[in-house]
Amino acid sequence: YSHGEGEDVLDDPAVELLLEMQQNGIRNLRALCLGCEAKQVASLTRARSLQKVFQVQALDPQALRSAVPEILLPKAFVGQVDLLRLDSLPHGSSCQVLRSLLMKVQPRLLAMFVFSQVPPPFNFIPHGQSVETPPAIMACSLSAVMQVVAPYNLFLIHLTGPYALFVQRDEWHQELPIDELDCYRKASVWGMEDIPINFVREWFFEDVDEVLPRIWGNLTDLYSNGQGMFTL
């Protein structure tokens, strides 16, 4: 099913799976989107039948400076939801927010904005509690997210580049887990002014032990004070 803006433009794969759930008889879908504005919901769910099931939750940017952010949710969204979506969050705090949310929410599907410029197997997590996170650093890496979701029976099934899609094992009838490196290799990952694509290729294809100090140095250089606050 294609619900994009052009003839060959597919929607977010999470939306495709939600539509499949509707077609299989699940009528009361609940989806929660954090980090996206209300006006973006229609573009996130171009299939009109899904627009009403998305609820947009605002986040306090100051609260996100905590290592364990306290996220207040409507009662209807505590417990199982069909889709939890996290877009780009202030301070690159996606992994911290996700940890907090998964203590309250059990999503069937998780669509997560990730910092794909840092490839597997590096567990990159920025810490914006005491220093300003550089604009280029918008989230934690794919491997870091996989580490956060592993105890909650969520498995990677797709990577578009900026978004990773995870699913509860019981909702997916194909073999799991899939190969993280192979999934990354097939995704559309790009460079940016501060992190050129040749850096990304080098970080992915060269020996982990050899490239780790270079990744650390390259990312540290992005911080104005030369002191990067992150784990890798």
Side-chain angles (χ1 to χ4, degrees):
Y1 300 94
S2 179
H3 300 280
E5 294 176 330
E7 183 179 349
D8 298 319
V9 181
L10 291 178
D11 230 333
D12 182 315
V15 174
E16 299 298 318
L17 285 171
L18 284 173
L19 283 168
E20 185 177 328
M21 287 179 182
Q22 277 193 323
Q23 292 157 2
N24 289 337
I26 301 176
R27 299 299 178 190
N28 298 314
L29 294 172
R30 289 183 300 164
L32 184 65
C33 183
L34 290 89
C36 50
E37 299 176 5
K39 65 182 180 181
Q40 294 176 302
V41 173
S43 67
L44 295 175
T45 58
R46 290 182 284 273
R48 291 190 178 185
S49 64
L50 291 179
Q51 291 181 16
K52 60 183 179 293
V53 307
F54 269 75
Q55 178 159 340
V56 179
Q57 179 72 17
L59 298 177
D60 177 3
Q62 291 306 312
L64 299 186
R65 286 191 177 275
S66 168
V68 185
E70 179 61 29
I71 309 299
L72 299 177
L73 294 176
K75 288 184 179 179
F77 288 90
V78 175
Q80 189 175 77
V81 298
D82 298 292
L83 170 65
L84 173 63
R85 180 182 178 115
L86 273 71
D87 275 272
S88 177
L89 300 176
H91 321 301
S93 56
S94 50
C95 274
Q96 293 90 327
V97 170
L98 182 61
R99 281 198 192 97
S100 181
L101 283 171
L102 290 177
M103 296 177 186
K104 302 177 180 180
V105 175
Q106 294 86 50
R108 286 176 163 178
L109 299 168
L110 168 67
M112 183 88 178
F113 186 88
V114 295
F115 189 42
S116 292
Q117 283 70 29
V118 176
F122 301 105
N123 295 321
F124 172 77
I125 302 177
H127 299 283
Q129 293 95 320
S130 57
V131 297
E132 200 61 35
T133 305
I137 296 176
M138 298 173 284
C140 51
S141 67
L142 175 63
S143 292
V145 176
M146 292 183 68
Q147 193 172 65
V148 172
V149 303
Y152 298 93
N153 210 30
L154 288 162
F155 291 85
L156 176 69
I157 57 171
H158 188 66
L159 178 68
T160 65
Y163 286 94
L165 180 63
F166 299 83
V167 66
Q168 282 283 344
R169 178 182 282 278
D170 293 344
E171 303 291 340
W172 191 249
H173 304 300
Q174 298 180 32
E175 185 177 351
L176 289 172
I178 65 172
D179 188 305
E180 174 189 5
L181 295 175
D182 184 57
C183 188
Y184 184 88
R185 189 178 291 110
K186 293 175 180 175
S188 299
V189 178
W190 60 89
M192 55 181 70
E193 183 177 352
D194 291 329
I195 306 176
I197 189 63
N198 60 301
F199 280 24
V200 178
R201 291 194 188 101
E202 176 186 296
W203 297 348
F204 182 61
F205 288 107
E206 292 196 16
D207 181 82
V208 170
D209 292 334
E210 290 184 8
V211 83
L212 180 59
R214 294 204 289 278
I215 298 180
W216 188 277
N218 293 147
L219 293 176
T220 298
D221 287 344
L222 297 179
Y223 288 78
S224 58
N225 62 2
Q227 297 181 348
M229 295 294 292
F230 57 84
T231 54
L232 184 60

